[in-house]
């Protein structure tokens, strides 16, 4: 008798687990968004929507799955996202499918497929909010399922678009009370970049024997030399410090474009740091690239305390890996993907990373969904009246809470306390007969009787 095939053993194990009523846990790197976090999620999304709408962007939805080839061609076969992190499968029609690891390729496909270059209002400004999957090594701020707010502008060559996109993100960060540093660079275009890559490769080839490049960088040197600048290994960091910088090798039109982006940012009072090592990890970018790095007090102190370049490196590394968003221009992608030549630019912000930072820095926002009032009741008839009264509170826009399932007043007051409301309104048999209501101040514990008809007047006074 041979051994049982592996799959059968696995199936047996799973069904055994099910029979034993064992929990089948969630997959590694996947997260449930529970109520506490969801409040932040909604807050970020609602603030983002109102800002984005103001700048004339239109919401777009794209499918969760696309042809694998879409990402291979646009994001790039050699990128980490495509070569290591994408969830792919072959479906029953033998089609090779990928679950979206980023939104830009889908939005580009959608722009081309729906002939959006013909729309009466140009440039076409799209935004998308949704979930993505990347099979990364899970850690704080790096998940296998995460969400992004993604903005793209199609059909605009001017530096105004780059600057305005950055401004929109900074406006959102300000609203969320997040301190962010804009890291910016230009990586040139297909005219000027090849010459620079030649110089960069020569520099690395000369240094190869002296310094120790990591295994990945040895491959990068052959396949994608720009990514050498992105490496965080100690030996590679050291080598790149003296590497030629693309900014000194831009053609006139790329230089002019970049200078204008910076001038607009200066004019709009958006601070930025020029970062010659910022190249981004996706293949489609040209000219302006940027990232939003968190710069909270903790990190600033750390950077000050850690002397010299070692500390700076740590600081940079931490913030790079925890970037709240990133993007840039991709003027050649639409044509490369089968559309007309169409300059474009955009970026994506990571919602979970913003939530992490808000939670770290800011308690004020967590309070925003909290009720002011609790409605408590005692006795069956009072309960009915309280239910109607609660509806009235809702219609008039008061933030109120209740638990009409509980009959015990003490238990209701305990819940009101836990919710941290300012006051509890109590309706009992006596109040019903007298046409009154009790208002209990939860901080002082003082209770006062009010004419039921004047309750809203009193609430407004107390909530002012
Ligand atoms: P990206 O840099 O790959 O760019 O992702 C943008 C942001 O998404 C990151 O800065 C980060 O905040 C968040 N993010 C990425 N991976 C994870 C993860 N595993 N867990 C949590 N958050 C994550 C793009 O996706 C491009 N499509 C941006 C773009 C739009 N470029 C042009 N248009």
């Amino acid at each position: 008798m041979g051994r049982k095939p592996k799959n059968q053993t696995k199936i047996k194990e799973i069904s055994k687990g099910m029979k034993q009523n064992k929990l089948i846990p969630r997959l590694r790197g996947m997260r449930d968004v529970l109520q506490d976090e969801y409040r932040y999620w909604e807050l970020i999304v609602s603030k983002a929507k109102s800002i984005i709408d103001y700048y004339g962007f239109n919401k777009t939805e794209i499918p969760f799955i696309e042809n694998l080839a879409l990402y291979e061609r646009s994001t790039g076969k050699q990128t980490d996202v495509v070569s290591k992190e994408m969830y792919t499968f072959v479906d029953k029609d033998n089609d090779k499918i990928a679950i979206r690891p980023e939104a830009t390729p889908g939005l580009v496909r959608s722009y081309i497929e729906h002939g959006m270059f013909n729309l009466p209002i140009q440039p076409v400004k799209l935004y998308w909010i949704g979930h993505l999957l990347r099979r990364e090594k899970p850690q704080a701020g790096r998940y296998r399922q995460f969400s992004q707010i993604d903005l793209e502008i199609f059909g605009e060559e001017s530096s105004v678009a780059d600057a305005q996109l950055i401004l929109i993100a900074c406006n959102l960060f300000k609203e969320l009370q997040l301190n962010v540093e804009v890291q910016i660079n230009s990586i040139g275009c297909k005219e000027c970049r090849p010459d620079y890559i030649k110089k960069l490769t020569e520099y690395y080839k000369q240094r190869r024997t002296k310094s120790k490049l990591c295994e990945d960088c040895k491959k990068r040197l052959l396949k994608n030399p720009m990514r050498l600048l992105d490496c965080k290994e100690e030996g590679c960091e050291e080598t790149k410090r003296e590497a030629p910088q693309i900014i000194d090798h831009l053609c006139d039109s790329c230089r002019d474009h970049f200078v204008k982006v910076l001038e607009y940012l200066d004019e709009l009072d958006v601070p930025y740091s020029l970062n010659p090592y910022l190249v981004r990890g996706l293949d489609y970018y040209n000219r302006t690239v940027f990232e939003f790095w968190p710069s909270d007090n903790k990190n600033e102190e750390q950077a000050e305390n850690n002397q010299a370049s070692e500390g700076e490196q740590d600081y940079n590394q931490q913030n790079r890996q925890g970037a709240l968003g990133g993007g840039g221009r991709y003027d050649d992608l639409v044509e490369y993907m089968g559309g007309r030549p169409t300059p474009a630019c955009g970026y994506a912000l990571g919602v979970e990373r913003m939530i992490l930072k808000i939670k770290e820095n800011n308690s004020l926002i967590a309070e925003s969904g909290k009720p002011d009032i609790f409605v408590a009741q005692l006795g069956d008839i009072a309960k009915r009246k309280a239910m109607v009264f609660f509806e009235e509170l809702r219609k008039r826009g008061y933030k109120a809470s209740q638990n009409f399932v509980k009959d015990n007043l003490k238990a209701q007051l305990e819940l009101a306390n836990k919710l941290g409301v300012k006051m509890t309104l109590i309706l009992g048999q006596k109040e019903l007969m007298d046409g009154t209501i009790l208002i209990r101040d939860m901080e002082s514990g003082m209770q006062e009787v009010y004419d039921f008809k004047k309750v809203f007047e009193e609430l407004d006074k107390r909530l002012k």
Side-chain angles (χ1 to χ4, degrees):
M1 280 229 308
R3 284 175 58 186
K4 270 187 198 157
K6 234 181 173 180
N7 273 354
Q8 264 187 24
T9 321
K10 189 98 190 154
I11 291 167
K12 259 200 160 163
E13 270 169 28
I14 293 172
S15 51
K16 210 166 123 194
M18 283 165 83
K19 267 187 214 144
Q20 288 170 353
N21 292 344
K22 265 195 187 160
L23 172 74
I24 301 166
R26 64 180 190 273
L27 294 169
R28 186 164 179 248
M30 298 292 163
R31 301 166 64 249
D32 299 316
V33 180
L34 304 183
Q35 52 193 5
D36 171 45
E37 181 161 337
Y38 201 73
R39 276 194 293 157
Y40 290 91
W41 208 93
E42 286 199 312
L43 183 102
I44 291 172
V45 168
S46 74
K47 281 197 188 282
K49 272 185 182 164
S50 69
I51 294 174
I52 296 167
D53 279 350
Y54 194 77
Y55 290 89
F57 284 74
N58 290 302
K59 183 140 185 0
T60 308
E61 197 41 85
I62 45 168
F64 205 65
I65 53 175
E66 300 268 4
N67 277 304
L68 169 65
L70 182 79
Y71 300 107
E72 287 183 337
R73 183 134 49 105
S74 54
T75 313
K77 250 185 173 170
Q78 306 296 338
T79 59
D80 286 353
V81 169
V82 170
S83 67
K84 298 181 189 161
E85 297 163 4
M86 214 156 47
Y87 284 87
T88 59
F89 61 94
V90 177
D91 80 354
K92 286 177 181 159
D93 297 325
N94 262 340
D95 290 328
K96 288 184 184 161
I97 310 283
I99 301 175
R100 62 184 177 213
E102 59 148 341
T104 312
L107 289 165
V108 167
R109 178 203 46 70
S110 175
Y111 171 85
I112 300 169
E113 240 180 314
H114 297 284
M116 289 190 214
F117 49 82
N118 279 327
L119 288 177
I121 296 179
Q122 297 287 333
V124 174
K125 298 181 186 178
L126 305 180
Y127 80 97
W128 171 89
I129 299 175
H131 300 283
L132 304 154
L133 292 187
R134 289 185 194 174
R135 203 174 186 287
E136 296 197 68
K137 197 169 160 215
Q139 51 184 281
R142 191 168 292 280
Y143 311 111
R144 289 186 172 176
Q145 178 171 331
F146 61 98
S147 34
Q148 284 184 344
I149 299 170
D150 188 293
L151 273 71
E152 313 287 354
I153 302 182
F154 294 100
E156 185 53 74
E157 196 175 14
S158 159
S159 311
V160 170
D162 315 35
Q164 223 177 24
L165 275 170
I166 294 172
L167 173 73
I168 293 169
C170 290
N171 286 346
L172 176 63
F173 293 133
K174 233 181 248 166
E175 286 253 332
L176 298 171
Q177 300 172 26
L178 289 173
N179 292 331
V180 165
E181 221 180 81
V182 179
Q183 300 278 321
I184 194 166
N185 191 20
S186 173
I187 55 168
C189 65
K190 54 187 177 199
E191 305 300 324
C192 52
R193 208 183 311 159
D195 266 356
Y196 169 71
I197 289 178
K198 229 186 250 168
K199 290 201 172 75
L200 186 70
T201 315
E202 274 164 23
Y203 166 86
Y204 269 89
K205 280 187 176 154
Q206 282 164 12
R207 296 278 171 132
R208 203 169 172 184
T209 44
K210 289 181 202 159
S211 69
K212 286 184 189 115
L213 285 188
C214 72
E215 286 310 306
D216 273 349
C217 276
K218 281 178 191 152
K219 282 184 212 146
R220 285 178 186 137
L221 192 53
L222 298 172
K223 290 186 174 164
N224 192 354
M226 291 286 280
R227 292 298 310 279
L228 288 162
L229 300 173
D230 210 21
C231 186
K232 292 141 210 139
E233 293 295 323
E234 210 177 299
C236 307
E237 282 265 12
E238 210 182 292
T239 318
K240 86 181 180 192
R241 234 169 271 147
E242 281 166 38
Q245 298 188 353
I246 177 110
I247 208 87
D248 302 322
H249 297 84
L250 295 177
C251 60
D252 288 347
S253 72
C254 281
R255 191 177 312 110
D256 184 50
H257 183 93
F258 193 47
V259 168
K260 283 202 172 114
V261 174
L262 301 182
E263 281 173 357
Y264 288 128
L265 291 177
D266 287 336
E267 194 68 36
L268 293 163
D269 228 359
V270 175
Y272 52 83
S273 299
L274 292 174
N275 183 341
Y277 305 121
L278 190 74
V279 290
R280 305 273 301 140
L282 312 170
D283 273 3
Y284 44 70
Y285 292 113
N286 69 326
R287 292 195 164 171
T288 325
V289 287
F290 49 86
E291 282 183 359
F292 305 105
W293 291 5
S295 69
D296 51 39
N297 297 339
K298 225 190 289 167
N299 282 337
E300 275 160 23
E301 265 169 39
Q302 219 167 38
E304 268 171 34
N305 292 341
N306 287 345
Q307 283 204 345
S309 56
E310 218 176 276
E312 229 166 78
Q313 261 176 47
D314 279 358
Y315 170 69
N316 283 346
Q317 219 167 310
Q318 269 175 24
N319 288 318
R320 261 235 72 200
Q321 288 172 347
L324 300 185
R329 274 212 161 257
Y330 47 95
D331 293 328
D332 302 318
L333 184 63
V334 176
E335 187 179 13
Y336 187 59
M337 297 305 288
R340 295 179 181 188
T342 308
C345 52
Y347 59 78
L349 307 178
V351 178
E352 287 77 6
R353 293 209 186 152
M354 286 192 271
I355 293 176
L356 272 181
K357 278 287 146 200
I358 292 170
K359 279 186 170 174
E360 247 175 56
N361 300 343
N362 190 335
S363 57
L364 191 132
I365 278 162
E367 303 271 304
S368 64
K370 218 171 77 172
D372 297 315
I373 301 164
F374 189 88
V375 179
Q377 36 71 39
L378 199 61
D380 199 41
I381 304 173
K383 181 186 299 200
R384 288 179 210 184
K385 177 99 183 201
M387 286 169 81
V388 175
F389 176 54
F390 185 75
E391 285 311 298
E392 192 57 34
L393 286 170
R394 184 183 62 76
K395 282 182 209 151
R396 288 177 185 238
Y398 293 97
K399 285 196 256 168
S401 188
Q402 47 72 39
N403 188 342
F404 295 133
V405 183
K406 280 198 163 72
D407 291 329
N408 181 313
L409 185 60
K410 193 169 162 237
Q412 292 179 63
L413 288 176
E414 272 169 15
L415 178 59
N417 240 336
K418 279 185 197 152
L419 290 171
V421 296
K422 294 190 179 91
M423 62 194 123
T424 299
L425 311 185
I426 306 169
L427 272 173
Q429 200 76 7
K430 182 169 185 322
E431 287 73 31
L432 274 194
M433 298 226 302
D434 299 348
T436 57
I437 190 163
L438 268 178
I439 302 187
R440 182 187 174 94
D441 182 299
M442 297 304 284
E443 210 179 295
S444 65
M446 287 258 293
Q447 280 187 185
E448 286 174 83
V449 184
Y450 287 89
D451 181 351
F452 188 77
K453 287 193 199 105
K454 294 197 176 149
V455 64
F456 294 113
E457 229 172 84
E458 182 59 24
L459 290 183
D460 292 342
K461 221 190 282 167
R462 290 183 182 226
L463 288 172
K464 225 179 240 172

Short mmCIF file of all heavy atoms in Angstrom, two decimals, residues 81 101-104 134 136 141-144 146 148 150-152 280 282 284-285 291 323-328 330 345-350 352-353, ligand 1:
data_model
loop_
_atom_site.label_atom_id
_atom_site.label_comp_id
_atom_site.label_asym_id
_atom_site.label_seq_id
_atom_site.Cartn_x
_atom_site.Cartn_y
_atom_site.Cartn_z
N VAL A 81 6.13 43.52 -6.50
CA VAL A 81 4.67 43.38 -6.46
C VAL A 81 4.21 42.25 -7.39
O VAL A 81 3.42 41.39 -7.00
CB VAL A 81 3.98 44.72 -6.84
CG1 VAL A 81 2.50 44.54 -7.06
CG2 VAL A 81 4.24 45.76 -5.77
N PRO A 101 -3.22 43.88 -7.10
CA PRO A 101 -2.27 44.27 -6.07
C PRO A 101 -2.12 45.79 -6.01
O PRO A 101 -1.52 46.32 -5.09
CB PRO A 101 -0.96 43.63 -6.55
CG PRO A 101 -1.09 43.62 -8.05
CD PRO A 101 -2.55 43.56 -8.38
N GLU A 102 -2.62 46.49 -7.03
CA GLU A 102 -2.64 47.95 -7.05
C GLU A 102 -3.74 48.36 -8.03
O GLU A 102 -4.17 47.55 -8.86
CB GLU A 102 -1.28 48.52 -7.44
CG GLU A 102 -0.78 48.08 -8.80
CD GLU A 102 0.06 49.15 -9.51
OE1 GLU A 102 -0.03 50.32 -9.14
OE2 GLU A 102 0.78 48.80 -10.44
N ALA A 103 -4.17 49.62 -7.94
CA ALA A 103 -5.34 50.03 -8.73
C ALA A 103 -4.98 50.68 -10.06
O ALA A 103 -5.78 50.67 -11.00
CB ALA A 103 -6.18 50.99 -7.91
N THR A 104 -3.77 51.24 -10.16
CA THR A 104 -3.43 52.03 -11.35
C THR A 104 -3.61 51.25 -12.67
O THR A 104 -4.25 51.78 -13.59
CB THR A 104 -2.00 52.59 -11.23
OG1 THR A 104 -1.87 53.19 -9.94
CG2 THR A 104 -1.70 53.62 -12.29
N ARG A 134 -1.66 41.88 -1.47
CA ARG A 134 -0.25 41.65 -1.81
C ARG A 134 0.28 40.64 -0.80
O ARG A 134 0.13 40.85 0.40
CB ARG A 134 0.59 42.93 -1.70
CG ARG A 134 0.31 43.93 -2.78
CD ARG A 134 1.25 45.12 -2.70
NE ARG A 134 0.75 46.20 -3.52
CZ ARG A 134 1.27 47.42 -3.58
NH1 ARG A 134 2.34 47.71 -2.86
NH2 ARG A 134 0.74 48.35 -4.36
N GLU A 136 2.74 39.97 1.04
CA GLU A 136 3.97 40.48 1.64
C GLU A 136 4.18 39.80 2.99
O GLU A 136 3.28 39.16 3.52
CB GLU A 136 3.86 41.97 1.85
CG GLU A 136 3.75 42.73 0.56
CD GLU A 136 4.06 44.20 0.73
OE1 GLU A 136 5.23 44.52 1.00
OE2 GLU A 136 3.14 45.01 0.61
N GLY A 141 1.60 47.74 9.88
CA GLY A 141 1.53 48.65 8.74
C GLY A 141 1.77 47.98 7.39
O GLY A 141 1.75 48.64 6.36
N ARG A 142 2.01 46.69 7.40
CA ARG A 142 2.19 45.97 6.12
C ARG A 142 1.32 44.72 6.19
O ARG A 142 1.61 43.80 6.95
CB ARG A 142 3.66 45.60 5.95
CG ARG A 142 4.00 45.09 4.56
CD ARG A 142 5.49 45.03 4.38
NE ARG A 142 6.11 46.35 4.34
CZ ARG A 142 6.14 47.15 3.30
NH1 ARG A 142 5.61 46.75 2.16
NH2 ARG A 142 6.72 48.32 3.35
N TYR A 143 0.23 44.73 5.45
CA TYR A 143 -0.73 43.64 5.53
C TYR A 143 -0.89 42.99 4.16
O TYR A 143 -0.49 43.57 3.16
CB TYR A 143 -2.09 44.17 6.02
CG TYR A 143 -1.94 45.03 7.25
CD1 TYR A 143 -2.17 46.40 7.20
CD2 TYR A 143 -1.51 44.47 8.45
CE1 TYR A 143 -2.00 47.19 8.32
CE2 TYR A 143 -1.34 45.26 9.57
CZ TYR A 143 -1.58 46.62 9.50
OH TYR A 143 -1.39 47.40 10.60
N ARG A 144 -1.50 41.82 4.16
CA ARG A 144 -1.71 41.16 2.86
C ARG A 144 -2.99 41.66 2.21
O ARG A 144 -3.12 41.65 1.01
CB ARG A 144 -1.72 39.65 3.07
CG ARG A 144 -0.32 39.16 3.38
CD ARG A 144 -0.20 37.68 3.44
NE ARG A 144 1.20 37.31 3.57
CZ ARG A 144 1.64 36.08 3.72
NH1 ARG A 144 0.77 35.09 3.77
NH2 ARG A 144 2.92 35.84 3.81
N PHE A 146 -5.11 45.21 2.24
CA PHE A 146 -5.08 46.58 2.75
C PHE A 146 -5.90 47.44 1.79
O PHE A 146 -6.35 46.97 0.75
CB PHE A 146 -3.63 47.09 2.86
CG PHE A 146 -2.89 47.11 1.56
CD1 PHE A 146 -2.77 48.28 0.83
CD2 PHE A 146 -2.32 45.95 1.04
CE1 PHE A 146 -2.09 48.31 -0.39
CE2 PHE A 146 -1.64 45.96 -0.17
CZ PHE A 146 -1.53 47.14 -0.89
N GLN A 148 -6.54 51.37 -0.19
CA GLN A 148 -5.92 52.60 -0.69
C GLN A 148 -6.97 53.59 -1.16
O GLN A 148 -8.06 53.21 -1.57
CB GLN A 148 -5.05 52.29 -1.91
CG GLN A 148 -3.72 51.63 -1.63
CD GLN A 148 -2.89 51.44 -2.90
OE1 GLN A 148 -3.42 51.54 -4.02
NE2 GLN A 148 -1.62 51.16 -2.74
N ASP A 150 -6.94 56.17 -4.12
CA ASP A 150 -6.09 56.31 -5.30
C ASP A 150 -6.61 57.44 -6.19
O ASP A 150 -7.79 57.47 -6.52
CB ASP A 150 -6.12 54.97 -6.04
CG ASP A 150 -5.13 54.90 -7.16
OD1 ASP A 150 -5.30 55.64 -8.16
OD2 ASP A 150 -4.19 54.12 -7.05
N LEU A 151 -5.74 58.35 -6.57
CA LEU A 151 -6.13 59.46 -7.44
C LEU A 151 -5.31 59.41 -8.72
O LEU A 151 -4.09 59.21 -8.64
CB LEU A 151 -5.84 60.81 -6.76
CG LEU A 151 -6.90 61.40 -5.85
CD1 LEU A 151 -7.00 60.60 -4.58
CD2 LEU A 151 -6.57 62.84 -5.52
N GLU A 152 -5.96 59.59 -9.86
CA GLU A 152 -5.23 59.60 -11.13
C GLU A 152 -5.73 60.74 -11.99
O GLU A 152 -6.94 61.00 -12.05
CB GLU A 152 -5.44 58.27 -11.90
CG GLU A 152 -5.30 56.99 -11.10
CD GLU A 152 -3.86 56.61 -10.72
OE1 GLU A 152 -2.92 57.30 -11.18
OE2 GLU A 152 -3.68 55.66 -9.96
N ARG A 280 10.91 54.67 -6.50
CA ARG A 280 9.65 53.93 -6.50
C ARG A 280 9.84 52.52 -7.08
O ARG A 280 10.73 52.27 -7.86
CB ARG A 280 8.56 54.68 -7.28
CG ARG A 280 8.33 56.09 -6.80
CD ARG A 280 7.34 56.15 -5.66
NE ARG A 280 6.05 55.62 -6.00
CZ ARG A 280 5.33 54.87 -5.16
NH1 ARG A 280 5.77 54.59 -3.95
NH2 ARG A 280 4.16 54.42 -5.52
N LEU A 282 7.71 50.54 -8.83
CA LEU A 282 6.87 50.05 -9.93
C LEU A 282 7.44 50.58 -11.24
O LEU A 282 8.00 51.68 -11.27
CB LEU A 282 5.42 50.51 -9.73
CG LEU A 282 4.86 50.30 -8.31
CD1 LEU A 282 3.52 50.98 -8.12
CD2 LEU A 282 4.73 48.80 -8.01
N TYR A 284 6.30 51.78 -14.11
CA TYR A 284 5.73 52.71 -15.10
C TYR A 284 6.10 54.18 -14.91
O TYR A 284 5.77 55.01 -15.73
CB TYR A 284 4.21 52.58 -15.15
CG TYR A 284 3.47 52.47 -13.82
CD1 TYR A 284 3.37 53.54 -12.96
CD2 TYR A 284 2.83 51.27 -13.47
CE1 TYR A 284 2.66 53.44 -11.76
CE2 TYR A 284 2.13 51.15 -12.28
CZ TYR A 284 2.05 52.24 -11.43
OH TYR A 284 1.35 52.15 -10.26
N TYR A 285 6.79 54.51 -13.86
CA TYR A 285 6.99 55.94 -13.57
C TYR A 285 8.00 56.62 -14.48
O TYR A 285 8.94 56.00 -14.97
CB TYR A 285 7.45 56.14 -12.12
CG TYR A 285 6.39 55.78 -11.11
CD1 TYR A 285 6.54 54.69 -10.26
CD2 TYR A 285 5.22 56.54 -11.01
CE1 TYR A 285 5.56 54.37 -9.33
CE2 TYR A 285 4.24 56.22 -10.09
CZ TYR A 285 4.41 55.14 -9.25
OH TYR A 285 3.45 54.82 -8.34
N GLU A 291 6.77 60.48 -2.35
CA GLU A 291 6.17 59.66 -1.29
C GLU A 291 5.84 60.56 -0.12
O GLU A 291 6.47 61.61 0.06
CB GLU A 291 7.14 58.55 -0.85
CG GLU A 291 7.16 57.39 -1.83
CD GLU A 291 8.04 56.23 -1.40
OE1 GLU A 291 8.68 56.30 -0.33
OE2 GLU A 291 8.09 55.24 -2.16
N ALA A 323 5.68 54.49 4.53
CA ALA A 323 5.14 55.62 3.77
C ALA A 323 3.61 55.59 3.79
O ALA A 323 3.00 54.53 3.67
CB ALA A 323 5.64 55.57 2.33
N LEU A 324 3.03 56.76 3.97
CA LEU A 324 1.56 56.83 4.00
C LEU A 324 0.99 56.86 2.59
O LEU A 324 -0.22 56.76 2.41
CB LEU A 324 1.11 58.07 4.77
CG LEU A 324 1.57 58.17 6.23
CD1 LEU A 324 0.95 59.37 6.90
CD2 LEU A 324 1.20 56.90 7.00
N GLY A 325 1.86 57.03 1.61
CA GLY A 325 1.38 57.03 0.24
C GLY A 325 2.52 57.32 -0.71
O GLY A 325 3.61 57.68 -0.28
N GLY A 326 2.26 57.11 -1.99
CA GLY A 326 3.30 57.39 -2.97
C GLY A 326 2.74 57.34 -4.37
O GLY A 326 1.67 56.78 -4.62
N GLY A 327 3.47 57.98 -5.29
CA GLY A 327 3.03 57.96 -6.67
C GLY A 327 3.95 58.75 -7.55
O GLY A 327 5.12 58.96 -7.21
N GLY A 328 3.41 59.21 -8.68
CA GLY A 328 4.23 60.00 -9.60
C GLY A 328 3.61 60.02 -10.97
O GLY A 328 2.45 59.65 -11.17
N TYR A 330 3.32 58.92 -14.99
CA TYR A 330 3.54 57.73 -15.83
C TYR A 330 3.04 58.07 -17.24
O TYR A 330 2.05 57.55 -17.73
CB TYR A 330 2.84 56.49 -15.25
CG TYR A 330 1.40 56.68 -14.83
CD1 TYR A 330 0.36 56.37 -15.70
CD2 TYR A 330 1.08 57.16 -13.57
CE1 TYR A 330 -0.96 56.53 -15.33
CE2 TYR A 330 -0.25 57.33 -13.20
CZ TYR A 330 -1.26 57.01 -14.08
OH TYR A 330 -2.57 57.19 -13.70
N CYS A 345 -0.64 61.15 -14.30
CA CYS A 345 0.05 61.06 -13.00
C CYS A 345 -0.97 60.73 -11.91
O CYS A 345 -2.18 60.90 -12.11
CB CYS A 345 0.80 62.34 -12.66
SG CYS A 345 -0.17 63.83 -12.78
N GLY A 346 -0.46 60.23 -10.79
CA GLY A 346 -1.37 59.85 -9.71
C GLY A 346 -0.62 59.33 -8.51
O GLY A 346 0.61 59.32 -8.48
N TYR A 347 -1.38 58.92 -7.52
CA TYR A 347 -0.77 58.31 -6.34
C TYR A 347 -1.80 57.54 -5.56
O TYR A 347 -3.01 57.60 -5.86
CB TYR A 347 -0.12 59.35 -5.41
CG TYR A 347 -1.06 60.41 -4.88
CD1 TYR A 347 -1.91 60.14 -3.82
CD2 TYR A 347 -1.07 61.68 -5.42
CE1 TYR A 347 -2.76 61.10 -3.32
CE2 TYR A 347 -1.92 62.66 -4.93
CZ TYR A 347 -2.76 62.37 -3.89
OH TYR A 347 -3.61 63.32 -3.42
N ALA A 348 -1.33 56.80 -4.57
CA ALA A 348 -2.25 56.09 -3.68
C ALA A 348 -1.83 56.30 -2.25
O ALA A 348 -0.63 56.35 -1.94
CB ALA A 348 -2.25 54.60 -4.02
N LEU A 349 -2.82 56.45 -1.38
CA LEU A 349 -2.57 56.61 0.06
C LEU A 349 -3.02 55.33 0.76
O LEU A 349 -4.09 54.78 0.44
CB LEU A 349 -3.35 57.79 0.62
CG LEU A 349 -3.17 59.13 -0.12
CD1 LEU A 349 -4.05 60.21 0.52
CD2 LEU A 349 -1.71 59.57 -0.10
N GLY A 350 -2.23 54.86 1.71
CA GLY A 350 -2.58 53.64 2.43
C GLY A 350 -3.46 53.95 3.64
O GLY A 350 -3.03 54.63 4.56
N GLU A 352 -4.79 51.95 6.04
CA GLU A 352 -4.41 51.33 7.32
C GLU A 352 -3.25 52.06 7.96
O GLU A 352 -3.20 52.22 9.18
CB GLU A 352 -4.05 49.85 7.13
CG GLU A 352 -5.23 48.94 6.86
CD GLU A 352 -5.74 49.05 5.43
OE1 GLU A 352 -5.12 49.75 4.61
OE2 GLU A 352 -6.78 48.43 5.12
N ARG A 353 -2.30 52.49 7.13
CA ARG A 353 -1.14 53.21 7.69
C ARG A 353 -1.56 54.56 8.26
O ARG A 353 -1.03 55.01 9.28
CB ARG A 353 -0.08 53.42 6.62
CG ARG A 353 0.51 52.10 6.21
CD ARG A 353 1.92 52.23 5.74
NE ARG A 353 2.35 50.93 5.23
CZ ARG A 353 3.26 50.76 4.30
NH1 ARG A 353 3.85 51.82 3.78
NH2 ARG A 353 3.58 49.56 3.91
P1 LIG B 1 2.54 51.85 -3.64
O1 LIG B 1 3.70 52.68 -3.20
O2 LIG B 1 2.78 50.45 -3.95
O3 LIG B 1 1.93 52.60 -4.91
O4 LIG B 1 1.40 51.93 -2.55
C1 LIG B 1 0.91 53.18 -2.10
C2 LIG B 1 0.67 53.12 -0.60
O5 LIG B 1 -0.16 52.01 -0.25
C3 LIG B 1 1.92 52.92 0.25
O6 LIG B 1 2.63 54.11 0.42
C4 LIG B 1 1.31 52.42 1.55
O7 LIG B 1 0.80 53.49 2.32
C5 LIG B 1 0.15 51.57 1.08
N1 LIG B 1 0.56 50.14 1.04
C6 LIG B 1 1.25 49.48 0.10
N2 LIG B 1 1.42 48.19 0.44
C7 LIG B 1 0.83 48.02 1.64
C8 LIG B 1 0.65 46.90 2.53
N3 LIG B 1 1.11 45.70 2.23
N4 LIG B 1 -0.01 47.09 3.70
C9 LIG B 1 -0.51 48.32 4.02
N5 LIG B 1 -0.39 49.41 3.21
C10 LIG B 1 0.28 49.26 2.05
C11 LIG B 1 0.88 52.13 -5.63
O8 LIG B 1 0.14 51.26 -5.28
C12 LIG B 1 0.66 52.91 -6.91
N6 LIG B 1 -0.46 52.29 -7.65
C13 LIG B 1 0.38 54.37 -6.62
C14 LIG B 1 0.10 55.18 -7.83
C15 LIG B 1 -1.10 55.60 -8.28
N7 LIG B 1 1.00 55.62 -8.69
C16 LIG B 1 0.40 56.29 -9.65
N8 LIG B 1 -0.87 56.28 -9.43
#
